[in-house]
Amino acid sequence: MSVEEELTLAEKLARSLPKDVCLDVHHLSTPPTSCPAIYSAPPGQKPEKTFCESHFLSVAISHNSSFLQIFALEVLIYTTEALTTVFVSKADSTGYISLLQLPKGTPSPLKTVSSVFLAHLVTGRRRQDRQLVVSLFARAQDQYLFPGSIENSGKHVLDDRGLVKWWCRVLDPLLEQESLASNKTQRFHSFLKGVRGFRSRAYLRVPGCDLYESQGFFPEHVRRDPSKRDKWKVSDPLRDLGRSPAFPERCLIPRLPDDPKSRFVDELDDELTEPPPQSQKQESPSKGRRPGRWKSVQSLEQFWELMAFRQECSSGRLVGFLWAVFTPEGPHANGDTPELFPNPPSSPSQHKTKIELPPPPQSEAEARDSSHSPKPRPVSDAQNPSSSQPDTPPPLIQDSNSLDLPVSQLSNDLQPPATNTHRTSQTNPNIRPEKTKHYLWPPSSRGEIVLSGKHYHRAHNLLLHLDYANEEIAAESSKRWLDDVAMCSGVKTWGQRVVGRKEMPAAGQEQSHSSSDKGGVNLLGSGLVRKKRFNGESRGEADGAAADAAVAAASSVNGGVNVLSTGLVRKKPKVK
């Protein structure tokens, strides 16, 4: 485990925030819970078993002996056997960060908090043999999480272009961190420990913008340095996220909450072609329509072209879709993952052959033991609905409150020990295995408070019904929300105070360094600026001599500032 992985979220924030910037951080989360699959299943296959974990980060300041929320960020983590998706659901600010009165030129603490929090979740949720993707869409809006905050005059709402650039700057430190962690020495030690490194790359799609216009949203240092442009691409990674490229397009686009492309996918699903009858499949499969595919959209490029004409992406508005993909190095360094999603069988006979495979041969000892024990049920009995002990597990639970169901209906990965009762499981949401083949849930990246899905949604809905219009009302709303979360978790107080320790160069110091790099800046005085003469007006000899003397005196000073006299300035003649 690296040093970064051992640090807590508060320690990482303290190392990244500007010096003496004091913030109060409140982090709550939920345990991994079975949820509907975010990827559509290909024809003839079942949906992937998917788990969802919610994280909510609230940042406050201490003002007049009370807490005042200034920023909040909600992240949903979807995990399957093949992929981990960190989806940034909502982010919003109240504008009361202006009460800190930070010096001019100080980096935005909100951007720093966002980058560090996402990097903290990525570090804790990476699996050594699976890809991880950070996904979000940037759409400008007055308020997302803090009702009434738009009435605060100190809140600065970015426009569409500014918001896309802001999120690009938030994701960029995640890529830089991976680049710094991929040096040869650390790779060698990781190889000895059997730990793989990760390759990172960011993708951006802005429907309606061409290649060169989209590259203008990249961070400034990426646009200046051609060697860093490989880290950012104007494209999407939807075909490389651990799924077969032969799948229909609708199976490659995730359905995420409040996502514009998810709403477009739902509309396109209305035109899905019905699979041809069984007789047509056996006689001439080429004449039948391809099942599971749209009629109007035949490729992902066409999907993005039509997205530009959607109301959410047109009418003068821009929506940016961003991804940061982390691919494990080694056998799957090219972005390919194990074939966990095989293509559907071409005919039902192939599927039937897989089911009716004979059991493996038994040894002589196993044969003697089996003669004295009941015979195993044949494969054909597994398809008999009257059998009392089915071999197949029960269907996935699609309800977020799966703890309210009997223990016998829970999946194998979520079953608590037999000694735990229904009430114990509901009051203690930490009863989960830390690692399964479907998710990774380490204690280091959990929230300070872990709530059940029911209590988490209650806290989220309460925040949406509060008011942050002015400072006094916002302080009361912040106290009410923090107290309600503490009551649901059974604690009196919660939260961690973070004081920044990062030294920031002064603005004048940065300017001096930039001036020295460019060889100094020569300021021209007014003596070299000439005004146009009036008709019949000529410059006198005295003025010319004075100007020449001033220029000569200024040029004789080595390293000084050239001051131009007024004799070389001419006024434009007035036309009467």
Side-chain angles (χ1 to χ4, degrees):
M1 182 178 292
S2 62
V3 179
E4 287 293 332
E5 294 178 354
E6 296 178 354
L7 296 177
T8 63
L9 176 61
E11 293 171 344
K12 294 178 181 179
L13 288 173
R15 295 174 57 178
S16 303
L17 287 172
K19 188 176 181 180
D20 299 332
V21 173
C22 183
L23 302 177
D24 293 278
V25 180
H26 303 83
H27 179 202
L28 61 94
S29 65
T30 64
T33 308
S34 179
C35 68
I38 60 176
Y39 286 96
S40 301
Q45 296 189 20
K46 295 181 179 180
E48 300 175 76
K49 190 173 184 179
T50 308
F51 289 84
C52 179
E53 181 183 350
S54 302
H55 288 259
F56 193 90
L57 181 71
S58 173
V59 182
I61 61 174
S62 181
H63 183 70
N64 294 334
S65 66
S66 62
F67 287 120
L68 193 61
Q69 288 176 297
I70 61 172
F71 182 69
L73 181 66
E74 184 182 29
V75 178
L76 306 179
I77 302 179
Y78 295 93
T79 54
T80 63
E81 189 176 353
L83 179 67
T84 300
T85 302
V86 180
F87 175 62
V88 181
S89 176
K90 293 181 180 65
D92 195 9
S93 63
T94 59
Y96 297 109
I97 192 175
S98 59
L99 298 176
L100 293 178
Q101 297 180 355
L102 299 176
K104 187 177 180 180
T106 303
S108 172
L110 304 185
K111 185 183 74 67
T112 303
V113 169
S114 302
S115 299
V116 173
F117 183 58
L118 291 178
H120 178 70
L121 295 180
V122 167
T123 304
R125 293 301 186 276
R126 287 183 307 192
R127 293 177 285 181
Q128 293 299 322
D129 54 350
R130 296 293 183 266
Q131 282 183 316
L132 184 144
V133 56
V134 179
S135 175
L136 63 93
F137 67 94
R139 180 181 58 191
Q141 192 167 323
D142 293 340
Q143 54 195 22
Y144 273 105
L145 294 170
F146 298 107
S149 59
I150 190 60
E151 300 180 12
N152 176 24
S153 59
K155 182 173 183 177
H156 177 56
V157 180
L158 295 175
D159 58 358
D160 299 326
R161 295 180 177 273
L163 187 62
V164 175
K165 292 181 179 179
W166 189 85
W167 277 112
C168 289
R169 294 195 299 268
V170 169
L171 294 183
D172 189 66
L174 278 69
L175 310 179
E176 295 295 332
Q177 181 179 356
E178 290 298 323
S179 300
L180 294 177
S182 299
N183 54 69
K184 294 183 179 180
T185 304
Q186 191 163 0
R187 284 184 179 181
F188 177 73
H189 291 293
S190 300
F191 174 76
L192 295 179
K193 297 179 182 179
V195 179
R196 298 178 184 174
F198 285 84
R199 297 167 54 248
S200 58
R201 177 171 289 178
Y203 300 82
L204 172 64
R205 279 277 194 183
V206 183
C209 295
D210 57 9
L211 174 64
Y212 298 101
E213 191 175 2
S214 299
Q215 290 178 348
F217 296 103
F218 291 169
E220 184 178 357
H221 72 94
V222 176
R223 300 195 304 267
R224 292 198 312 261
D225 191 355
S227 62
K228 296 183 179 180
R229 294 178 184 176
D230 293 339
K231 284 286 185 179
W232 285 84
K233 292 185 62 177
V234 181
S235 180
D236 61 82
L238 298 180
R239 287 196 178 275
D240 303 326
L241 295 180
R243 302 176 67 83
S244 175
F247 281 179
E249 287 72 17
R250 63 184 299 269
C251 302
L252 304 176
I253 304 174
R255 301 171 186 263
L256 300 170
D258 195 26
D259 194 347
K261 63 179 183 294
S262 300
R263 285 188 284 271
F264 189 29
V265 170
D266 293 338
E267 294 183 9
L268 291 175
D269 283 348
D270 296 337
E271 60 183 42
L272 283 178
T273 59
E274 294 293 336
Q278 193 71 19
S279 59
Q280 293 184 6
K281 276 190 175 180
Q282 295 178 357
E283 294 176 359
S284 56
S286 60
K287 294 182 180 180
R289 295 177 177 175
R290 296 179 299 175
R293 297 187 182 273
W294 299 316
K295 295 180 181 179
S296 58
V297 178
Q298 302 296 331
S299 64
L300 288 178
E301 289 296 332
Q302 190 177 3
F303 174 83
W304 290 112
E305 290 178 3
L306 294 179
M307 275 291 297
F309 298 96
R310 301 277 296 176
Q311 184 177 1
E312 296 172 296
C313 304
S314 60
S315 302
R317 301 188 60 183
L318 292 178
V319 178
F321 297 90
L322 293 97
W323 300 267
V325 181
F326 302 88
T327 305
E329 295 179 338
H332 313 297
N334 296 329
D336 302 328
T337 56
E339 187 64 22
L340 298 175
F341 307 97
N343 294 329
S346 57
S347 63
S349 60
Q350 296 180 2
H351 185 67
K352 183 177 180 180
T353 304
K354 292 182 180 180
I355 295 180
E356 294 185 355
L357 285 175
Q362 297 181 349
S363 61
E364 296 181 0
E366 292 177 349
R368 289 195 303 269
D369 296 338
S370 61
S371 62
H372 300 285
S373 60
K375 294 183 178 181
R377 186 180 50 193
V379 180
S380 59
D381 292 341
Q383 301 176 358
N384 186 8
S386 61
S387 59
S388 58
Q389 298 292 335
D391 291 340
T392 58
L396 293 180
I397 302 169
Q398 303 297 339
D399 186 9
S400 59
N401 299 325
S402 58
L403 294 177
D404 297 336
L405 298 176
V407 178
S408 60
Q409 297 183 15
L410 293 173
S411 59
N412 295 330
D413 295 333
L414 289 178
Q415 283 190 6
T419 55
N420 293 334
T421 60
H422 162 72
R423 179 173 299 180
T424 304
S425 300
Q426 187 175 7
T427 56
N428 189 5
N430 292 321
I431 302 178
R432 292 287 194 282
E434 295 184 5
K435 183 178 181 181
T436 68
K437 66 178 181 179
H438 295 98
Y439 66 82
L440 182 64
W441 193 45
S444 58
S445 57
R446 300 178 191 175
E448 180 186 358
I449 291 180
V450 180
L451 296 177
S452 63
K454 179 180 179 180
H455 289 155
Y456 177 85
H457 291 300
R458 170 183 172 174
H460 189 275
N461 292 333
L462 175 61
L463 184 67
L464 298 179
H465 287 83
L466 298 176
D467 192 3
Y468 294 85
N470 56 58
E471 181 180 339
E472 182 179 358
I473 298 178
E476 296 177 357
S477 300
S478 301
K479 183 178 184 303
R480 181 182 175 184
W481 186 82
L482 295 174
D483 293 345
D484 185 82
V485 175
M487 181 190 65
C488 292
S489 60
V491 298
K492 293 183 179 179
T493 58
W494 65 297
Q496 293 178 309
R497 177 154 294 184
V498 178
V499 180
R501 301 194 302 264
K502 186 175 182 180
E503 295 286 349
M504 295 307 223
Q509 186 177 358
E510 290 182 352
Q511 186 176 1
S512 62
H513 288 318
S514 61
S515 301
S516 61
D517 295 339
K518 297 179 181 179
V521 178
N522 295 326
L523 301 179
L524 301 180
S526 59
L528 294 180
V529 180
R530 298 185 177 182
K531 295 182 180 180
K532 192 173 182 180
R533 298 190 300 269
F534 291 102
N535 294 332
E537 182 182 359
S538 61
R539 185 179 58 173
E541 295 181 357
D543 295 339
D548 296 337
V551 173
S555 59
S556 62
V557 179
N558 187 14
V561 179
N562 297 330
V563 180
L564 304 181
S565 61
T566 58
L568 298 179
V569 179
R570 299 179 179 179
K571 295 182 179 180
K572 185 177 181 180
K574 297 181 180 180
V575 180
K576 298 182 180 180

